[in-house]
Amino acid sequence: MEPRQQHPPANHPTRHRKEGSTHVRLVLRRRWSALAAGLLIVAAGVGLSTASADTGGGDASTATAKAKAKAKAAGQFRNPVNPGADPTVVHHDGNYYAATTQGDAIRMWKSPSAATLLTSQAHEVWKDSDPSRNTQIWAPALRKYEVDGKERWYLYYTASDGNDSAHRMYVLESEGTDPLGPYHFKGKVADPNNDRWAIDGEPFTLGGKLYFSWSGQRDDGVGNQLFIAPMSNPWTISGGRMYLPAEGNCPEVREGPTPLYNKDGRLYLTYSACDTGKPDYTIWSKSIAPDGNPMDAGAWTQEPGPMFSRNDEAGVYGPGHHSFFKSPDGTEDWIAYHAKNTSTYTYSWRTTRIQKIGWTADGKPDLGRPAALGTALDLPAGDPGPGTKVINDTDEGTGDLQVSYTGNWNSGSQCGVQCYAGNDHWSQEKDATATFHFTGTQLALLSVKDTGNGIAAISVDGGEEQRVDYYGKPRVGEELQWVSPKLDPGPHTVKVRVTGEKNADAGAAFVSIDRAEVTP
């Protein structure tokens, strides 16, 4: 048995990635909590009515406590919930919808439970043939509005011709009321009198008026700064932009602005600071009173920060570029964000995670600390579940929710916080196997990708094998390697066989076994 190529240290050092007057009613907010009940304000060209919601803060009601108890009974899940970055997540009509940066198109995932978002099918909702905007497609943001009596989804995104300097913001409009579309191109979202490099745009409202916020380039050429402009409808900027100075732990980036409202209507415009490739990418915020003027930089208060940052003990680096959404029953606020479990400076391996947030006694958002990958979290209140179950690499045996090995395998805790429960198994012996035994309808494999990893052959219930390359650079853990097809309910096996093969860049042919997520 040859020794395994050693994992690099778990905490060694780690781009910026990265039409006319219309009556509009806000139907669903993706990234902020609703204002006080009954608020109805109509502004020039834009009418916005907001729904009643308890947005957190204060003591929980009996109904809220019951909803949370129900959520806990429905099961638990573990992050990540998507292998992509820059997430937008909404819950609508009994389903979660998530979209992340894909580069060549906009894809969306739909699932009735947060526990099964990771294994849900990708739907390609938009691919553009216009060469000026059909590549480097980043940062989708999904909103629902009623325009002239018709409810439609608006999907905001950033795209270019392949050159970063050409990045601009665009928006799609759905043909009907399905978040999966179909969509048609609605327009470019830009200040026509100052059309500069721009990314990460999305709307917000204050005082009954609609505004657009984004990360753009100042007139002096400095990029990745926050800007705000008024809108006359969900696709049209109707006035000059305003530069919003904002603090951060790094000087180079202010991006991904997204709004969050407390129960009193105060707006917290949260944003990410620092280069997203760095481990110190983090979330900050500026806030403004409900009656403030967003186009007056002096009306904003810089909140102390960071609000949400790296958690070295948990192996979470670079948490940011986020969105907010409500639990299915509306009683909880949740954040969706991307992060890595390597401190290496890289834009690769950013995955989407979700977790519940709270509120302080004085009404400020409390985002907490990012949880380690694999941490068991209660499903959002009102999520029907059932939650997924986990098989660790050390759950050895041939019973339900166990894994059995043949051939020579190493095991240990060298991977530390990059592995589930701090350990994994690995082998490069040809035809060594690891067989997962489970009762359920689907199984997902998550484990280490490494420069010394090779190719596995994976089969279900003794069927045809599928080749899966476990290579990755830099090394990361708890990465989604493979998802089974949907299976009939009942007992099944998934066998991982070491082939001894590797790609040309790999230094060895190891295969890693860490955790499996089982859908009942």
Side-chain angles (χ1 to χ4, degrees):
M1 180 177 65
E2 296 183 23
R4 183 191 198 189
Q5 178 170 318
Q6 291 297 305
H7 285 312
N11 294 312
H12 64 84
T14 169
R15 163 194 135 142
H16 164 68
R17 228 189 309 87
K18 110 196 123 4
E19 295 172 2
S21 178
T22 309
H23 181 77
V24 184
R25 183 169 69 89
L26 181 62
V27 177
L28 175 69
R29 295 182 183 82
R30 179 176 58 82
R31 296 189 172 185
W32 50 281
S33 303
L35 298 181
L39 178 63
L40 176 61
I41 309 175
V42 179
V46 182
L48 303 171
S49 73
T50 61
S52 173
D54 180 3
T55 63
D59 294 332
S61 66
T62 301
T64 300
K66 288 181 178 178
K68 291 182 178 180
K70 179 181 178 182
K72 187 171 183 179
Q76 295 181 315
F77 73 99
R78 281 155 292 276
N79 282 313
V81 297
N82 186 274
D86 307 330
T88 180
V89 175
V90 303
H91 187 271
H92 169 71
D93 198 22
N95 286 286
Y96 298 87
Y97 295 85
T100 58
T101 287
Q102 298 291 297
D104 64 336
I106 298 178
R107 296 180 180 88
M108 198 175 294
W109 288 261
K110 172 185 176 181
S111 173
S113 174
T116 48
L117 263 174
L118 182 67
T119 56
S120 61
Q121 179 183 356
H123 300 265
E124 186 173 281
V125 299
W126 181 254
K127 192 154 189 158
D128 207 320
S129 59
D130 187 325
S132 71
R133 57 173 193 260
N134 67 354
T135 190
Q136 293 184 331
I137 299 173
W138 301 340
L142 183 63
R143 295 292 184 86
K144 189 180 185 183
Y145 293 95
E146 184 180 287
V147 180
D148 291 336
K150 296 180 180 179
E151 292 184 1
R152 294 291 183 264
W153 289 96
Y154 292 87
L155 190 51
Y156 301 85
Y157 64 100
T158 303
S160 79
D161 60 3
N163 299 298
D164 180 58
S165 60
H167 264 113
R168 297 296 189 273
M169 299 173 299
Y170 303 94
V171 63
L172 310 174
E173 183 182 64
S174 67
E175 300 289 344
T177 58
D178 188 342
L180 294 180
Y183 285 89
H184 61 266
F185 183 76
K186 190 64 176 177
K188 181 179 181 180
V189 185
D191 177 352
N193 298 315
N194 199 342
D195 184 8
R196 292 177 172 269
W197 179 91
I199 63 170
D200 297 354
E202 66 172 89
F204 70 88
T205 62
L206 198 71
K209 297 180 181 179
L210 188 63
Y211 299 87
F212 201 68
S213 60
W214 72 95
S215 179
Q217 185 184 63
R218 295 192 322 218
D219 293 343
D220 62 4
V222 175
N224 298 103
Q225 303 296 304
L226 298 183
F227 291 89
I228 298 172
M231 301 186 84
S232 58
N233 56 44
W235 58 90
T236 306
I237 287 179
S238 58
R241 67 180 194 167
M242 186 271 294
Y243 164 57
L244 182 63
E247 294 180 5
N249 51 309
C250 297
E252 68 268 22
V253 170
R254 308 289 182 266
E255 65 184 10
T258 187
L260 177 66
Y261 287 67
N262 71 8
K263 63 185 179 68
D264 298 319
R266 187 172 186 86
L267 164 62
Y268 291 84
L269 188 63
T270 59
Y271 58 91
S272 297
C274 211
D275 185 324
T276 191
K278 292 182 176 180
D280 291 317
Y281 193 62
T282 189
I283 298 175
W284 292 65
S285 176
K286 299 202 75 162
S287 69
I288 189 170
D291 58 354
N293 177 12
M295 299 303 295
D296 176 8
W300 293 86
T301 298
Q302 178 69 55
E303 297 294 332
M307 302 171 66
F308 200 62
S309 58
R310 60 188 286 173
N311 184 351
D312 292 36
E313 298 81 4
V316 181
Y317 303 96
H321 201 117
H322 53 293
S323 63
F324 298 104
F325 65 98
K326 302 291 286 189
S327 60
D329 70 354
T331 65
E332 297 173 348
D333 292 294
W334 283 67
I335 184 173
Y337 63 97
H338 76 233
K340 303 172 293 188
N341 80 342
T342 175
S343 57
T344 301
Y345 189 156
T346 178
Y347 303 104
S348 300
W349 313 120
R350 297 171 296 163
T351 60
T352 291
R353 302 100 184 273
I354 64 172
Q355 62 189 73
K356 187 171 69 171
I357 68 170
W359 298 87
T360 65
D362 57 353
K364 294 187 177 184
D366 179 5
L367 305 189
R369 300 195 75 193
L373 284 177
T375 300
L377 303 172
D378 288 343
L379 287 168
D383 188 305
T388 54
K389 298 183 186 238
V390 68
I391 306 174
N392 189 20
D393 66 290
T394 58
D395 294 332
E396 294 190 47
T398 57
D400 194 32
L401 299 178
Q402 290 187 311
V403 57
S404 58
Y405 299 92
T406 68
N408 291 310
W409 290 83
N410 298 288
S411 64
S413 57
Q414 291 94 321
C415 60
V417 293
Q418 288 194 315
C419 288
Y420 179 70
N423 53 63
D424 68 343
H425 275 63
W426 63 93
S427 177
Q428 68 169 349
E429 180 181 86
K430 188 176 185 299
D431 294 328
T433 66
T435 301
F436 291 88
H437 309 263
F438 66 99
T439 300
T441 59
Q442 199 165 26
L443 180 140
L445 295 174
L446 298 95
S447 65
V448 167
K449 286 186 176 289
D450 199 354
T451 56
N453 281 0
I455 296 170
I458 303 176
S459 59
V460 180
D461 295 334
E464 183 179 355
E465 290 184 330
Q466 177 183 353
R467 290 292 205 273
V468 177
D469 195 344
Y470 278 47
Y471 172 84
K473 181 180 181 181
R475 181 182 66 98
V476 288
E478 297 192 67
E479 280 291 322
L480 182 63
Q481 305 277 16
W482 176 86
V483 176
S484 79
K486 290 289 182 67
L487 305 170
D488 291 333
H492 298 281
T493 59
V494 165
K495 180 182 288 187
V496 181
R497 182 175 65 85
V498 180
T499 65
E501 302 166 2
K502 63 184 181 65
N503 70 44
D505 294 326
F510 288 99
V511 169
S512 170
I513 301 296
D514 191 7
R515 72 169 160 115
E517 289 290 327
V518 177
T519 304

